[in-house]
Each structure stands twice: as C-alpha cells, then as structure tokens.
Amino acid sequence: MSDSASQTERGAGDRPALRRLTGMSAQQFAQEHWGERPLLTRSAGGFADLFSAEAVDELIAHRGLRTPFARMAVEGEVLSPSLFTSSGGIGAEVNDQLDSAKVLAQIAAGATLVLQGLHRTWEPIAAFTRDLVRDLGHPAQVNAYITPASSRGFDPHYDTHDVFVLQIAGSKRWTLHEPVHPHPLVDQPWSDHREAVAAAAQRPPHIDQVFEPGDVLYLPRGWLHSAVAQGETSIHLTIGLRATTRHDLLTTLLARAGEDPELRRSLALGVDFTDPASLLEDLAATVTAAHALLERAEPEQLAAQMHRTHAAATRPEPVRPLATLDAIAALTADRTLTWRAGLEERIEEDEHNIRLRLRTTTLTLPAEAAPAIRALRAAPCRAGELPGLDAESSLVVARRLLREGLVVPA
C-alpha cells in the first residue's frame, strides 16, 4: 500500500472544512495533492462569512492591533513598524499600535499590508481554522494580505509550510514554479537557496493564473510562488499549515536516546576530531544502539508524545467567562451544552473514577459520570438529561463541566 493511500484511511471521512476549500473528498485530495502537487479550485464558494474589506477596516481602525499582528512591505522589502504604527495614547501606553492614517498612506503609496494571526483576532476565521485543524490533523495559522492595484508583495520564494490561499476581494495573478528544495523544514528557508530560486523563477511556470474572488489555491511547502495584484486592491487569506513531518517523528524518537545507557557512554579516551578514523568504533556502536532504540519504539508512547506537541501548537474554542458564570447560575434541565471545540484531553477510567487530563490540569469525576462524558464528547446534550445520571446529578455534573471549561452553552 502506498504512503498516500494508507494516509487516506486514517480518521473520519467527513471533513467539511477541507471539502469547502478543495471541492473533493479527503481521500482524493490526499492521494493527488497533499504535500506534493498544487491544486487550484475555481469558484470554491463565497468566503464573506470569513473575511471581507469591511473586516480589514474594522481590524485596522477599531481593534487596537499591535505588531507583530501586522506588518507592511513594498516590493518584498519589509517596512519599519514606525512607518505604520504609533502610540496608543493615554491608557494604552504602547508605541506599536496600528495607526489607521499611516496605514492608509502606505497602502496608497503601494505597500502591502499583512494582518497576521487572524486565527487569534477574528472569530469567524478562528472557528473555521479549528474545523480545518480537526479535518487535517495539523496545526494552522491564518494571515491576510492586502495588496494595492498592480503591486507585488514579495519576490518569488517558497514557504516552509503548506498553504491554502483564499481570494477574498479583487484579483491577483499568481505564478508558481516547481520546488528547488522539496519538502523544506522550518530551518531551511528559501534564502538558503536564493540563486536556485531566482533561476527557477525564469523557467516556464507550472501555474500562471489570475485568481478571482472565491478561488482557492493549495500550495505545498517548497513550491515557488509570487503574486501581483491586478486592477484593484486585492485581499486574500493565507492559511498556513505547519505539517508534522517524518523528521518530527524521528526527532521525537531520538529524544528518548538518553534512556539508553549505551548511548550515554563517553566517546573513546583521546578521541581526535581532526581524524575521522578515530570515530569509527564509536560511530558503529552508536548506530547499533540507535537502531535498537528505534526497533523498541512503542506506537502508543510515541503517539502520546506527538499528541502533546500538537496540543501545545493549537488552541481550543475560547470560553466566555461572564456568560459561562451566568449559564451556571441559571442552568436548567433543558439547556443544551456542547463539548468545547478543539479541546485536547486524554481520558482515563477505572472502577471508581473517570479522569480527564487536560494541558494544565486534571479533572476527576465519579465513574458514574463516564457515560455522560462520552455522550457530550459525541454530540450536544441537555444539561438535565445526561446519560447514566438522574436529573439532579446530571445538573451537578453539567455545572462542574461548565466551570472547568470542558463544555460550553450551545
């Protein structure tokens, strides 16, 4: 079985966020494109529910954004923040808030504005990103690029993460070339291959198309690209996917090398690093011990470690503290609750208790609450009708889960 075919069989088949971007099944996308080939999806649908020109103005003028949530560039050269930020004034004594008038001046002069981290600052995008992360199994971030007419944001380059590009407004001409360094890691930027990138950009492109609102491009990491706005201001979203790699898997495995006494041994006395031959015996022993370490790898332990790494790179659905306190105080049996989206937890059960191990705490409940926990994780439930509990106990458990931030009011 091929790698791509085996990957498509893992996880749930219903991945609506991914289908919205690609117009195809997860299996087809994995087999034909994931990590390998670009995909241009014309008229994937409107994205006004996620972002718009009005949202850009709202963020610039009224949200008090600071660097690094914004940056600006002209023809690939990043501008000094002082050219588009200023003091927040009394009560907000910082010097790096976006200055709407300065931003206007720079855009009018041809600068591209990049609004970074929109998965943290704009709720419609945050909610969609959580859905997409669930569909893909890899962390994601979202930036918006606002480019004046006929301006180029950045020179041909490649990214060290996969991206989905969503054209929101205006039009933009994208030019793509095949990789000069396939599957680059985070510490392997395009600038390490500047001459090869420049040479490749002179060859016939793989894609050279004008994107219109509603078009979506999937671009695997390493593919060269540049873009030029056409006759009006262009707005597009870039969803960056920080894909977990086999290199990450190997790094996690080798992090356990310190548990092996053979790999903790000192090198030979008098080792001479100017003489490669002096390393031969220790190198052979190290390879043998490392091979044995890899052979002993237990998928369960490795998966748990990778799960913790993934959890640290993502954030669950936010809770509304005051609304939650009101919901607890006024909770009735018919109030519907849902499991908090994107929550990373591990469940352990024994004959007496069920424990939910979260990133920073552990919640322990009586074993009788286990059916209620499983039901809530699967689908919304009424607070007074949790499986396995009478009405009074159901409300007690519901209040506890609300207070601990595991469930939210529907």
Side-chain angles (χ1 to χ4, degrees):
M1 180 181 296
S2 69
D3 287 340
S4 60
S6 65
Q7 288 171 358
T8 64
E9 297 177 2
R10 304 169 191 161
D14 181 21
R15 303 170 193 245
L18 178 61
R19 182 179 286 276
R20 181 178 181 184
L21 297 180
T22 64
M24 61 178 59
S25 69
Q27 180 175 1
Q28 182 182 0
F29 176 72
Q31 288 177 333
E32 298 177 7
H33 297 282
W34 174 243
E36 297 294 339
R37 307 294 293 178
L39 170 66
L40 173 56
T41 306
R42 291 292 192 184
S43 301
F47 296 107
D49 59 316
L50 299 183
F51 207 57
S52 64
E54 291 74 19
V56 173
D57 280 345
E58 170 73 16
L59 285 162
I60 294 172
H62 301 298
R63 295 298 181 97
L65 288 188
R66 302 174 59 188
T67 57
F69 283 105
R71 59 190 171 103
M72 300 193 78
V74 176
E75 298 294 321
E77 294 295 326
V78 177
L79 299 180
S80 167
S82 64
L83 296 176
F84 57 90
T85 64
S86 62
S87 169
I90 189 170
E93 286 81 1
V94 295
N95 295 317
D96 61 347
Q97 280 193 350
L98 283 186
D99 183 312
S100 56
K102 286 185 174 182
V103 172
L104 168 61
Q106 293 298 338
I107 293 177
T112 289
L113 170 67
V114 185
L115 296 174
Q116 303 190 140
L118 289 174
H119 60 294
R120 295 292 297 127
T121 60
W122 194 249
E123 176 53 27
I125 289 178
F128 181 78
T129 304
R130 288 192 295 269
D131 291 342
L132 187 62
V133 169
R134 183 188 62 235
D135 287 358
L136 293 172
H138 298 271
Q141 65 171 24
V142 184
N143 296 344
Y145 292 78
I146 299 91
T147 308
S150 303
S151 293
R152 185 181 77 243
F154 295 91
D155 291 330
H157 65 285
Y158 67 71
D159 295 324
T160 58
H161 52 274
D162 296 43
V163 300
F164 283 102
V165 176
L166 287 63
Q167 190 68 30
I168 301 297
S171 58
K172 207 164 195 177
R173 180 180 177 182
W174 284 78
T175 306
L176 276 58
H177 292 83
E178 295 198 7
V180 299
H181 184 68
H183 311 298
L185 300 175
V186 174
D187 60 353
Q188 297 173 335
W190 75 272
S191 54
D192 289 350
H193 304 272
R194 192 181 299 272
E195 292 184 2
V197 167
Q202 301 304 312
R203 295 195 284 267
H206 179 80
I207 289 178
D208 186 1
Q209 296 284 339
V210 174
F211 290 13
E212 303 291 344
D215 292 345
V216 176
L217 171 69
Y218 166 68
L219 187 65
R221 57 197 167 99
W223 278 75
L224 312 184
H225 57 280
S226 61
V228 179
Q230 300 301 289
E232 56 187 323
T233 299
S234 165
I235 303 173
H236 77 261
L237 295 177
T238 293
I239 303 175
L241 307 173
R242 299 288 181 178
T244 305
T245 67
R246 291 176 177 173
H247 181 271
D248 295 321
L249 200 61
L250 179 61
T251 300
T252 301
L253 280 167
L254 292 179
R256 303 183 61 186
E259 301 172 9
D260 190 322
E262 289 302 311
L263 290 170
R264 296 199 302 266
R265 288 185 180 278
S266 302
L267 298 183
L269 186 68
V271 61
D272 181 2
F273 295 116
T274 65
D275 179 12
S278 70
L279 291 174
L280 290 178
E281 183 176 344
D282 281 311
L283 180 59
T286 299
V287 170
T288 299
H291 182 76
L293 175 70
L294 298 179
E295 288 289 330
R296 295 194 304 271
E298 299 178 2
E300 294 80 7
Q301 292 183 355
L302 183 60
Q305 178 60 51
M306 299 298 286
H307 177 76
R308 288 191 290 271
T309 301
H310 174 80
T314 59
R315 295 178 69 100
E317 174 187 5
V319 296
R320 297 177 178 271
L322 300 186
T324 300
L325 290 175
D326 288 344
I328 293 171
L331 192 64
T332 57
D334 61 351
R335 184 67 184 267
T336 300
L337 305 177
T338 64
W339 201 255
R340 188 176 167 196
L343 194 65
E344 299 285 350
E345 75 285 332
R346 189 171 74 255
I347 294 180
E348 300 172 354
E349 296 183 52
D350 57 38
E351 59 180 327
H352 301 295
N353 299 298
I354 178 171
R355 285 177 292 277
L356 293 92
R357 297 194 180 278
L358 307 174
R359 192 178 306 176
T360 58
T361 187
T362 298
L363 174 63
T364 302
L365 295 170
E368 291 78 12
I373 297 297
R374 288 193 289 269
L376 278 164
R377 293 177 80 240
C381 297
R382 293 181 184 274
E385 301 173 6
L386 299 181
L389 301 172
D390 59 38
E392 182 179 354
S393 298
S394 183
L395 286 171
V396 170
V397 170
R399 290 189 183 96
R400 180 73 185 280
L401 295 175
L402 278 167
R403 186 169 65 250
E404 298 293 340
L406 277 84
V407 300
V408 294

